[in-house]
Coordinates of all heavy atoms in Angstrom, one line a residue:
L1 N 1.3 -8.2 -0.3 CA 1.0 -9.6 -0.1 C -0.5 -9.9 -0.2 O -0.8 -11.1 0.0 CB 1.6 -10.2 1.3 CG 3.1 -10.0 1.4 CD1 3.6 -10.5 2.7 CD2 3.8 -10.9 0.4
T2 N -1.3 -8.9 -0.3 CA -2.7 -9.1 -0.4 C -3.3 -8.3 -1.6 O -3.8 -7.2 -1.4 CB -3.5 -8.6 1.0 OG1 -3.0 -7.2 1.2 CG2 -3.0 -9.3 2.2
P3 N -3.2 -8.9 -2.8 CA -3.6 -8.3 -4.0 C -5.0 -7.9 -4.0 O -5.4 -6.8 -4.7 CB -3.1 -9.2 -5.1 CG -3.0 -10.6 -4.4 CD -2.7 -10.3 -3.0
E4 N -5.8 -8.5 -3.4 CA -7.2 -8.2 -3.4 C -7.6 -7.0 -2.7 O -8.6 -6.3 -2.9 CB -8.1 -9.4 -2.8 CG -7.9 -9.6 -1.3 CD -6.7 -10.4 -1.0 OE1 -6.0 -10.9 -1.9 OE2 -6.4 -10.6 0.2
E5 N -6.6 -6.5 -1.9 CA -6.8 -5.2 -1.2 C -6.1 -4.0 -1.8 O -6.1 -2.9 -1.3 CB -6.2 -5.4 0.3 CG -7.0 -6.4 1.1 CD -6.4 -6.5 2.5 OE1 -5.5 -5.7 2.9 OE2 -6.7 -7.6 3.1
R6 N -5.4 -4.2 -2.9 CA -4.7 -3.1 -3.6 C -5.7 -2.1 -4.0 O -6.6 -2.4 -4.7 CB -3.8 -3.7 -4.7 CG -2.7 -4.5 -4.3 CD -1.9 -5.0 -5.5 NE -0.9 -5.9 -5.0 CZ -0.5 -7.0 -5.8 NH1 -0.9 -7.2 -7.0 NH2 0.4 -7.8 -5.2
P7 N -5.4 -0.8 -3.8 CA -6.3 0.2 -4.2 C -6.2 0.5 -5.7 O -5.1 0.2 -6.3 CB -5.9 1.5 -3.5 CG -4.5 1.2 -3.1 CD -4.3 -0.3 -3.0
I8 N -7.2 1.0 -6.4 CA -7.2 1.3 -7.8 C -6.6 2.7 -8.0 O -5.8 2.9 -8.8 CB -8.6 1.3 -8.4 CG1 -9.1 -0.1 -8.4 CG2 -8.6 1.9 -9.8 CD1 -10.5 -0.3 -8.8
K9 N -6.8 3.6 -7.0 CA -6.2 4.9 -6.9 C -5.6 5.1 -5.6 O -6.1 4.7 -4.6 CB -7.3 6.0 -7.2 CG -8.0 5.9 -8.5 CD -9.0 7.0 -8.6 CE -9.8 6.8 -9.9 NZ -10.9 7.9 -10.0
F10 N -4.5 5.8 -5.6 CA -3.8 6.1 -4.3 C -2.9 7.4 -4.5 O -2.5 7.8 -5.5 CB -3.0 4.9 -3.8 CG -2.0 4.4 -4.8 CD1 -0.7 4.9 -4.7 CD2 -2.3 3.4 -5.7 CE1 0.2 4.4 -5.6 CE2 -1.4 2.9 -6.6 CZ 0.0 3.4 -6.6
M11 N -2.7 8.0 -3.3 CA -1.9 9.3 -3.3 C -0.4 8.8 -3.3 O 0.0 8.0 -2.7 CB -2.2 10.0 -2.0 CG -3.6 10.5 -1.9 SD -4.2 11.6 -3.1 CE -3.3 13.0 -2.5
V12 N 0.4 9.6 -4.0 CA 1.9 9.5 -4.0 C 2.4 10.9 -3.8 O 1.9 11.9 -4.3 CB 2.4 8.8 -5.3 CG1 2.0 7.5 -5.4 CG2 2.0 9.7 -6.5
G13 N 3.5 11.0 -3.1 CA 4.3 12.3 -2.8 C 4.0 12.8 -1.5 O 2.8 13.0 -1.1
G14 N 5.0 12.9 -0.7 CA 4.9 13.5 0.7 C 4.2 12.6 1.6 O 3.7 13.1 2.7
H15 N 4.3 11.4 1.4 CA 3.6 10.4 2.4 C 4.5 10.0 3.6 O 5.7 10.3 3.6 CB 3.2 9.1 1.6 CG 4.4 8.5 1.0 ND1 4.9 8.7 -0.2 CD2 5.3 7.5 1.5 CE1 5.9 8.0 -0.5 NE2 6.2 7.2 0.6
R16 N 3.8 9.5 4.5 CA 4.5 9.0 5.6 C 4.2 7.4 5.7 O 3.1 7.0 5.2 CB 4.0 9.6 7.0 CG 2.9 8.9 7.7 CD 2.7 9.6 9.1 NE 1.3 9.6 9.2 CZ 0.6 10.4 10.1 NH1 1.2 11.2 10.8 NH2 -0.6 10.4 10.2
L17 N 5.1 6.7 6.3 CA 5.0 5.2 6.2 C 4.3 4.7 7.4 O 4.4 5.2 8.5 CB 6.4 4.6 6.0 CG 7.1 5.0 4.8 CD1 8.5 4.3 4.7 CD2 6.3 4.5 3.5
N18 N 3.6 3.6 7.2 CA 3.0 2.8 8.3 C 4.0 1.7 8.5 O 4.1 0.8 7.7 CB 1.7 2.3 7.9 CG 1.0 1.4 9.0 OD1 1.8 0.7 9.7 ND2 -0.3 1.5 9.1
L19 N 4.8 1.8 9.6 CA 5.9 0.8 9.8 C 5.3 -0.6 10.3 O 6.0 -1.6 10.2 CB 6.9 1.3 10.8 CG 7.6 2.6 10.3 CD1 8.5 3.1 11.4 CD2 8.3 2.3 9.0
K20 N 4.1 -0.6 10.7 CA 3.5 -1.9 11.1 C 3.2 -2.7 9.8 O 3.4 -3.9 9.7 CB 2.3 -1.7 12.0 CG 1.7 -3.1 12.4 CD 0.6 -2.9 13.3 CE 0.1 -4.3 13.7 NZ -1.3 -4.4 14.0
K21 N 2.5 -2.1 8.9 CA 2.1 -2.8 7.6 C 3.1 -2.6 6.5 O 2.9 -3.2 5.5 CB 0.7 -2.1 7.1 CG -0.4 -2.4 8.0 CD -1.7 -1.7 7.4 CE -2.9 -2.1 8.2 NZ -4.1 -1.6 7.5
L22 N 4.2 -1.8 6.8 CA 5.1 -1.6 5.7 C 4.6 -1.1 4.5 O 4.6 -1.6 3.4 CB 5.9 -2.9 5.4 CG 6.8 -3.4 6.5 CD1 7.6 -4.7 6.1 CD2 7.7 -2.4 7.1
G23 N 3.9 0.0 4.5 CA 3.3 0.7 3.4 C 3.0 2.1 3.8 O 3.4 2.7 4.8
I24 N 2.3 2.7 2.8 CA 1.9 4.1 3.1 C 0.8 4.2 4.1 O -0.1 3.5 4.0 CB 1.5 4.8 1.7 CG1 2.7 4.8 0.7 CG2 0.9 6.2 1.9 CD1 2.3 5.3 -0.7
D25 N 0.9 5.2 5.0 CA -0.1 5.4 6.1 C -1.2 6.1 5.5 O -1.1 7.3 5.0 CB 0.6 6.1 7.2 CG -0.3 6.0 8.5 OD1 -1.1 5.1 8.6 OD2 -0.2 6.9 9.3
G26 N -2.4 5.5 5.6 CA -3.6 6.2 5.1 C -4.8 5.4 5.2 O -4.9 4.4 6.0
E27 N -5.8 5.8 4.5 CA -7.1 5.1 4.4 C -7.8 5.2 3.1 O -7.5 6.2 2.4 CB -8.0 5.7 5.6 CG -8.3 7.1 5.5 CD -9.1 7.7 6.7 OE1 -10.1 7.2 7.0 OE2 -8.5 8.6 7.3
T28 N -8.8 4.4 2.8 CA -9.6 4.6 1.6 C -10.7 5.5 1.9 O -11.5 5.2 2.8 CB -10.1 3.2 1.1 OG1 -8.9 2.4 0.9 CG2 -10.8 3.3 -0.2
I29 N -10.8 6.5 1.1 CA -12.0 7.5 1.1 C -12.5 7.5 -0.4 O -11.8 7.7 -1.3 CB -11.5 8.9 1.5 CG1 -10.9 8.8 2.9 CG2 -12.7 9.8 1.5 CD1 -10.4 10.2 3.5
N30 N -13.7 7.1 -0.5 CA -14.5 6.9 -1.8 C -13.6 5.8 -2.4 O -13.5 4.7 -1.9 CB -14.5 8.2 -2.5 CG -15.5 9.3 -1.9 OD1 -16.4 9.0 -1.3 ND2 -15.0 10.5 -2.0
D31 N -13.1 6.0 -3.6 CA -12.3 5.0 -4.3 C -10.8 5.2 -4.3 O -10.1 4.5 -5.0 CB -12.8 4.8 -5.7 CG -12.5 6.0 -6.5 OD1 -12.2 7.0 -6.0 OD2 -12.6 5.9 -7.8
T32 N -10.3 6.1 -3.5 CA -8.9 6.5 -3.4 C -8.2 6.2 -2.1 O -8.8 6.7 -1.1 CB -8.7 8.0 -3.8 OG1 -9.3 8.2 -5.2 CG2 -7.2 8.4 -3.9
Y33 N -7.1 5.6 -2.1 CA -6.3 5.4 -0.8 C -5.6 6.7 -0.6 O -4.8 7.1 -1.4 CB -5.4 4.2 -0.9 CG -4.8 3.9 0.4 CD1 -5.4 3.1 1.3 CD2 -3.5 4.4 0.7 CE1 -4.8 2.8 2.5 CE2 -2.9 4.0 1.9 CZ -3.5 3.2 2.8 OH -3.0 2.9 4.0
T34 N -5.9 7.4 0.4 CA -5.4 8.7 0.7 C -4.8 8.9 2.1 O -5.0 8.0 2.9 CB -6.4 9.8 0.4 OG1 -5.9 11.1 0.5 CG2 -7.6 9.7 1.4
Y35 N -4.0 9.9 2.3 CA -3.4 10.1 3.5 C -4.5 10.5 4.5 O -5.6 11.1 4.2 CB -2.4 11.4 3.5 CG -1.4 11.1 2.3 CD1 -0.9 12.1 1.7 CD2 -0.9 9.8 2.1 CE1 0.0 12.0 0.7 CE2 0.0 9.7 1.1 CZ 0.5 10.8 0.4 OH 1.4 10.6 -0.6
N36 N -4.2 10.4 5.9 CA -5.2 10.8 6.9 C -5.4 12.2 6.6 O -4.4 13.1 6.5 CB -4.5 10.4 8.2 CG -5.4 10.9 9.4 OD1 -5.9 11.9 9.5 ND2 -5.5 9.9 10.3
P37 N -6.6 12.7 6.8 CA -7.0 14.1 6.6 C -6.2 15.1 7.5 O -6.0 16.2 7.2 CB -8.5 14.2 6.8 CG -9.0 12.8 6.7 CD -7.8 11.9 7.0
E38 N -5.8 14.6 8.7 CA -5.1 15.5 9.6 C -3.5 15.6 9.2 O -2.8 16.4 9.8 CB -5.3 15.0 11.0 CG -6.7 15.1 11.4 CD -7.1 14.0 12.4 OE1 -6.2 13.3 12.9 OE2 -8.3 13.8 12.7
Y39 N -3.1 14.6 8.3 CA -1.6 14.6 8.0 C -1.3 15.7 7.0 O -2.0 15.9 6.0 CB -1.2 13.3 7.5 CG 0.1 13.2 6.9 CD1 1.2 13.3 7.9 CD2 0.5 13.0 5.6 CE1 2.5 13.2 7.4 CE2 1.8 12.9 5.1 CZ 2.8 13.0 6.1 OH 4.0 13.0 5.6
K40 N -0.3 16.5 7.2 CA 0.2 17.5 6.3 C 1.3 17.0 5.5 O 2.5 16.8 6.1 CB 0.6 18.8 7.0 CG 1.2 19.8 6.1 CD 0.5 21.2 6.5 CE 1.1 22.3 5.7 NZ 0.7 22.5 4.4
A41 N 1.1 16.7 4.2 CA 2.2 16.1 3.4 C 3.3 17.1 3.2 O 3.1 18.3 3.2 CB 1.6 15.8 2.1
W42 N 4.6 16.6 3.2 CA 5.8 17.4 2.9 C 6.0 17.8 1.5 O 7.0 18.5 1.2 CB 7.0 16.7 3.6 CG 7.2 15.3 3.2 CD1 6.7 14.2 3.9 CD2 7.9 14.9 2.1 NE1 7.1 13.1 3.3 CE2 7.9 13.5 2.1 CE3 8.5 15.4 1.1 CZ2 8.4 12.6 1.2 CZ3 9.2 14.6 0.1 CH2 9.1 13.3 0.2
S43 N 5.2 17.3 0.6 CA 5.2 17.8 -0.8 C 3.9 17.8 -1.4 O 2.9 17.6 -0.7 CB 6.2 16.8 -1.6 OG 5.6 15.6 -1.8
S44 N 3.8 18.1 -2.6 CA 2.4 18.1 -3.3 C 2.0 16.7 -3.8 O 2.4 16.3 -4.9 CB 2.5 19.1 -4.4 OG 2.8 20.4 -3.9
P45 N 1.1 16.0 -3.1 CA 0.8 14.7 -3.5 C -0.2 14.7 -4.7 O -0.9 15.7 -5.0 CB 0.0 14.1 -2.3 CG -0.1 15.2 -1.3 CD 0.6 16.4 -1.8
E46 N -0.1 13.6 -5.5 CA -1.0 13.5 -6.7 C -1.6 12.1 -6.6 O -1.1 11.2 -5.9 CB -0.2 13.6 -7.9 CG 0.5 15.0 -8.1 CD 1.2 15.1 -9.5 OE1 0.9 14.3 -10.4 OE2 2.0 15.9 -9.6
V47 N -2.7 12.0 -7.3 CA -3.4 10.7 -7.3 C -2.9 9.8 -8.4 O -2.7 10.4 -9.6 CB -4.9 10.8 -7.5 CG1 -5.6 9.6 -7.7 CG2 -5.6 11.6 -6.3
Y48 N -2.4 8.6 -8.1 CA -2.0 7.6 -9.0 C -3.1 6.7 -9.3 O -3.6 6.0 -8.5 CB -0.8 6.9 -8.4 CG -0.1 6.0 -9.4 CD1 1.0 6.3 -10.1 CD2 -0.6 4.7 -9.7 CE1 1.8 5.5 -10.9 CE2 0.1 3.9 -10.5 CZ 1.2 4.2 -11.1 OH 1.9 3.4 -12.0
D49 N -3.6 6.7 -10.7 CA -4.7 5.9 -11.1 C -4.2 4.7 -11.8 O -3.7 4.8 -12.9 CB -5.7 6.8 -11.9 CG -7.0 6.0 -12.3 OD1 -7.1 4.9 -12.1 OD2 -7.8 6.8 -12.7
T50 N -4.4 3.5 -11.3 CA -3.9 2.2 -11.9 C -4.8 1.9 -13.1 O -4.4 0.9 -13.7 CB -3.9 1.1 -10.8 OG1 -5.2 0.8 -10.4 CG2 -3.0 1.5 -9.7
T51 N -5.9 2.5 -13.4 CA -6.7 2.2 -14.5 C -6.1 2.9 -15.8 O -6.4 2.6 -17.0 CB -8.1 2.6 -14.4 OG1 -8.2 4.0 -14.2 CG2 -8.8 1.8 -13.2
D52 N -5.1 3.9 -15.6 CA -4.5 4.5 -16.7 C -3.5 3.5 -17.3 O -2.9 2.7 -16.7 CB -3.7 5.7 -16.3 CG -4.6 6.9 -15.7 OD1 -5.8 6.9 -16.1 OD2 -4.1 7.8 -15.1
R53 N -3.4 3.6 -18.7 CA -2.6 2.7 -19.5 C -1.1 2.7 -18.9 O -0.6 3.7 -18.7 CB -2.5 3.0 -20.9 CG -1.8 2.1 -21.7 CD -1.9 2.4 -23.2 NE -1.0 1.5 -23.8 CZ -1.1 1.2 -25.3 NH1 -1.9 1.9 -25.9 NH2 -0.2 0.3 -25.7
G54 N -0.6 1.5 -18.7 CA 0.8 1.3 -18.1 C 1.0 1.6 -16.7 O 2.1 1.5 -16.2
R55 N -0.2 1.7 -15.9 CA -0.1 1.9 -14.5 C -0.8 0.9 -13.7 O -1.4 1.2 -12.7 CB -0.7 3.3 -14.2 CG 0.2 4.4 -14.7 CD -0.3 5.7 -14.2 NE 0.6 6.8 -14.3 CZ 0.6 7.9 -13.7 NH1 -0.4 8.2 -12.9 NH2 1.5 8.8 -13.8
G56 N -0.8 -0.3 -14.1 CA -1.5 -1.4 -13.4 C -1.1 -1.6 -12.1 O 0.0 -1.2 -11.6
N57 N -1.9 -2.1 -11.2 CA -1.6 -2.4 -9.8 C -1.3 -4.0 -9.6 O -1.4 -4.4 -8.4 CB -2.7 -1.8 -8.7 CG -3.9 -2.5 -8.9 OD1 -4.2 -3.3 -9.9 ND2 -4.9 -2.3 -8.0
K58 N -1.2 -4.7 -10.6 CA -0.8 -6.1 -10.4 C 0.6 -6.2 -10.0 O 1.4 -5.3 -10.3 CB -1.1 -6.8 -11.7 CG -2.5 -6.8 -12.2 CD -3.5 -7.4 -11.2 CE -4.9 -7.3 -11.7 NZ -5.8 -7.6 -10.7
G59 N 0.9 -7.3 -9.5 CA 2.3 -7.5 -9.0 C 2.7 -8.9 -9.1 O 2.1 -9.8 -9.8
H60 N 3.6 -9.3 -8.2 CA 4.1 -10.7 -8.2 C 3.1 -11.5 -7.3 O 3.4 -11.5 -6.0 CB 5.5 -10.8 -7.8 CG 6.4 -10.0 -8.6 ND1 6.8 -10.5 -9.8 CD2 7.0 -8.8 -8.4 CE1 7.6 -9.5 -10.4 NE2 7.7 -8.5 -9.6
E61 N 2.0 -12.0 -7.6 CA 1.1 -12.6 -6.8 C 1.2 -14.1 -6.6 O 0.9 -14.6 -5.5 CB -0.3 -12.4 -7.5 CG -0.7 -10.9 -7.6 CD -2.0 -10.7 -8.3 OE1 -2.7 -11.7 -8.7 OE2 -2.4 -9.6 -8.5
A62 N 1.7 -14.8 -7.7 CA 1.9 -16.2 -7.5 C 2.8 -16.7 -6.4 O 2.5 -17.7 -5.8 CB 2.4 -16.8 -8.8
E63 N 3.9 -15.9 -6.0 CA 4.7 -16.3 -5.1 C 4.1 -16.3 -3.6 O 4.6 -17.0 -2.7 CB 5.9 -15.3 -5.0 CG 6.8 -15.4 -6.2 CD 6.3 -14.5 -7.3 OE1 5.2 -13.9 -7.3 OE2 7.0 -14.5 -8.4
F64 N 3.0 -15.6 -3.4 CA 2.4 -15.6 -2.1 C 1.0 -16.1 -2.1 O 0.4 -16.1 -1.0 CB 2.4 -14.1 -1.7 CG 3.7 -13.4 -1.8 CD1 3.9 -12.5 -2.8 CD2 4.7 -13.7 -0.9 CE1 5.1 -11.9 -2.9 CE2 6.0 -13.1 -1.0 CZ 6.2 -12.2 -2.0
A65 N 0.5 -16.6 -3.2 CA -0.8 -17.2 -3.2 C -1.2 -18.3 -2.3 O -2.3 -18.4 -1.8 CB -1.2 -17.6 -4.7
D66 N -0.2 -19.1 -2.0 CA -0.5 -20.2 -1.1 C -0.2 -20.0 0.4 O -0.5 -20.9 1.3 CB 0.3 -21.4 -1.6 CG -0.1 -22.0 -3.0 OD1 -1.3 -21.7 -3.3 OD2 0.8 -22.5 -3.6
L67 N 0.2 -18.8 0.7 CA 0.5 -18.5 2.1 C -0.8 -18.1 2.8 O -1.6 -17.4 2.4 CB 1.5 -17.3 2.2 CG 2.9 -17.5 1.8 CD1 3.7 -16.2 1.9 CD2 3.6 -18.6 2.5
S68 N -0.9 -18.6 4.1 CA -2.0 -18.1 4.9 C -1.8 -16.6 5.3 O -0.6 -16.2 5.3 CB -2.1 -19.0 6.2 OG -1.0 -18.8 7.0
N69 N -2.7 -16.0 5.9 CA -2.6 -14.6 6.4 C -1.6 -14.6 7.5 O -0.8 -13.7 7.6 CB -3.9 -14.0 6.9 CG -4.7 -13.5 5.7 OD1 -4.2 -13.1 4.8 ND2 -6.1 -13.3 6.0
Q70 N -1.6 -15.6 8.4 CA -0.7 -15.8 9.5 C 0.9 -15.8 8.9 O 1.7 -15.2 9.4 CB -0.9 -16.9 10.3 CG 0.0 -17.1 11.5 CD -0.4 -18.3 12.4 OE1 -1.3 -19.1 12.1 NE2 0.3 -18.4 13.4
D71 N 0.9 -16.6 7.9 CA 2.3 -16.8 7.2 C 2.7 -15.5 6.5 O 3.9 -15.1 6.6 CB 2.3 -17.9 6.2 CG 2.3 -19.3 6.9 OD1 2.6 -19.4 8.1 OD2 2.0 -20.3 6.2
K72 N 1.8 -14.8 5.9 CA 2.1 -13.5 5.3 C 2.7 -12.5 6.3 O 3.6 -11.8 6.1 CB 0.9 -12.9 4.6 CG 0.6 -13.7 3.3 CD -0.6 -13.1 2.7 CE -1.1 -14.0 1.4 NZ -2.3 -13.4 0.9
W73 N 2.0 -12.4 7.5 CA 2.3 -11.4 8.5 C 3.7 -11.9 9.2 O 4.5 -11.1 9.5 CB 1.2 -11.3 9.6 CG 0.3 -10.3 9.0 CD1 -1.0 -10.7 8.6 CD2 0.3 -9.0 8.8 NE1 -1.7 -9.6 8.2 CE2 -0.8 -8.5 8.3 CE3 1.4 -8.1 9.1 CZ2 -1.0 -7.2 7.9 CZ3 1.2 -6.7 8.7 CH2 0.0 -6.3 8.2
A74 N 3.9 -13.2 9.3 CA 5.2 -13.7 9.7 C 6.3 -13.3 8.8 O 7.4 -12.9 9.3 CB 5.1 -15.2 10.0
L75 N 6.1 -13.4 7.5 CA 7.1 -13.0 6.6 C 7.4 -11.4 6.7 O 8.5 -11.0 6.7 CB 6.5 -13.3 5.2 CG 7.5 -12.9 4.1 CD1 8.8 -13.4 4.1 CD2 6.8 -13.2 2.7
I76 N 6.3 -10.7 6.9 CA 6.5 -9.2 7.0 C 7.3 -8.9 8.2 O 8.3 -8.1 8.2 CB 5.1 -8.5 7.0 CG1 4.5 -8.4 5.7 CG2 5.3 -7.0 7.6 CD1 3.1 -7.9 5.6
E77 N 7.0 -9.6 9.4 CA 7.8 -9.3 10.6 C 9.2 -9.7 10.4 O 10.1 -9.1 10.9 CB 7.1 -10.1 11.7 CG 5.8 -9.5 12.1 CD 5.9 -8.1 12.6 OE1 6.9 -7.7 13.2 OE2 4.9 -7.3 12.2
Y78 N 9.5 -10.8 9.7 CA 10.8 -11.3 9.4 C 11.6 -10.3 8.5 O 12.7 -9.9 8.8 CB 10.8 -12.6 8.7 CG 12.2 -13.0 8.2 CD1 13.2 -13.4 9.1 CD2 12.5 -12.9 6.8 CE1 14.5 -13.8 8.5 CE2 13.8 -13.2 6.3 CZ 14.7 -13.7 7.2 OH 16.0 -14.0 6.7
L79 N 10.9 -9.7 7.5 CA 11.6 -8.8 6.7 C 11.8 -7.5 7.4 O 12.9 -6.8 7.1 CB 10.7 -8.4 5.4 CG 10.5 -9.6 4.5 CD1 9.5 -9.3 3.4 CD2 11.8 -9.9 3.8
K80 N 11.1 -7.2 8.5 CA 11.5 -6.0 9.2 C 12.8 -6.1 10.0 O 13.4 -5.1 10.3 CB 10.4 -5.7 10.3 CG 9.1 -5.2 9.7 CD 8.1 -5.0 10.8 CE 6.7 -4.6 10.4 NZ 5.7 -4.5 11.5
L81 N 13.2 -7.4 10.2 CA 14.4 -7.6 10.9 C 15.7 -7.4 10.1 O 16.8 -7.3 10.6 CB 14.5 -9.0 11.5 CG 13.3 -9.3 12.5 CD1 13.4 -10.7 12.8 CD2 13.5 -8.5 13.7
L82 N 15.5 -7.4 8.7 CA 16.6 -7.4 7.8 C 17.2 -6.0 7.7 O 16.7 -5.0 7.9 CB 16.3 -7.8 6.5 CG 15.7 -9.3 6.4 CD1 15.3 -9.6 4.9 CD2 16.8 -10.2 6.8

């Protein structure tokens, strides 16, 4: 719901979820969203680079463009109930 915050590179494989944000639990180190350094992944993670052809990080932005941050978080909280 926040396309301006989407990372260009991120780790995939063996991740744990952040149930508050509904996404992969981690942080940005240099230019890559990666797992917490203390977390031991349960598989061999790899870096997914959205600058590679066919791997863009764009999504369905128009549907959420007019929502305030408060409304976006209210929507996330609602979706957690489903």
Side-chain angles (χ1 to χ4, degrees):
L1 296 180
T2 54
E4 64 281 352
E5 296 177 16
R6 291 180 187 149
I8 294 173
K9 297 178 186 176
F10 54 92
M11 301 293 291
V12 294
H15 58 269
R16 93 175 140 195
L17 297 177
N18 179 323
L19 298 177
K20 181 177 184 213
K21 292 184 176 182
L22 295 183
I24 296 172
D25 192 24
E27 60 186 302
T28 301
I29 299 176
N30 297 323
D31 66 345
T32 303
Y33 190 81
T34 188
Y35 309 143
N36 184 310
E38 295 149 13
Y39 174 67
K40 177 132 173 87
W42 49 267
S43 72
S44 300
E46 296 183 21
V47 174
Y48 187 97
D49 187 346
T50 64
T51 62
D52 291 343
R53 185 177 176 162
R55 291 187 163 198
N57 65 349
K58 301 296 179 197
H60 304 285
E61 299 175 4
E63 293 82 359
F64 311 106
D66 294 334
L67 293 179
S68 69
N69 279 339
Q70 182 178 3
D71 288 341
K72 289 177 184 179
W73 282 107
L75 176 58
I76 288 172
E77 292 302 319
Y78 169 74
L79 292 172
K80 288 180 185 179
L81 299 172
L82 300 178

